[in-house]
Amino acid sequence: MTRNPIYVGLLIAASGWVVWFARVDLIVVWVLLAVVLVAKARVEERRLVTRFGDDYREYAAHTPLMLWRRGIR
């Protein structure tokens, strides 16, 4: 379902805190967390392409980076 299940889990858990406490500053922190995790996933993705080449590209074509966007940018 995702190439980064730990990152998705962190975002889901953090969104639970945002909803539970219903504070605007937590929304900002959640957005920053999402940006950092997506950027980190893209860096890791480049390393995996370098290491595994076409095998990783084929895997990425069928599995979303998080829960969206299949393939590699």
Side-chain angles (χ1 to χ4, degrees):
M1 293 184 71
T2 177
R3 295 193 304 260
N4 296 286
I6 293 173
Y7 297 168
V8 172
L10 283 171
L11 289 173
I12 291 170
S15 67
W17 282 95
V18 170
V19 170
W20 182 264
F21 290 106
R23 292 176 32 196
V24 175
D25 58 336
L26 291 179
I27 294 171
V28 172
V29 171
W30 186 89
V31 170
L32 292 173
L33 176 64
V35 168
V36 167
L37 291 178
V38 169
K40 187 172 186 236
R42 287 184 180 164
V43 168
E44 292 171 355
E45 184 175 66
R46 284 187 221 118
R47 290 181 183 164
L48 289 166
V49 167
T50 300
R51 184 166 183 181
F52 298 107
D54 289 336
D55 289 336
Y56 184 78
R57 283 187 184 93
E58 183 179 328
Y59 166 69
H62 300 293
T63 310
L65 179 65
M66 293 291 197
L67 294 175
W68 59 88
R69 195 179 69 80
R70 292 183 178 167
I72 298 173
R73 282 191 180 176

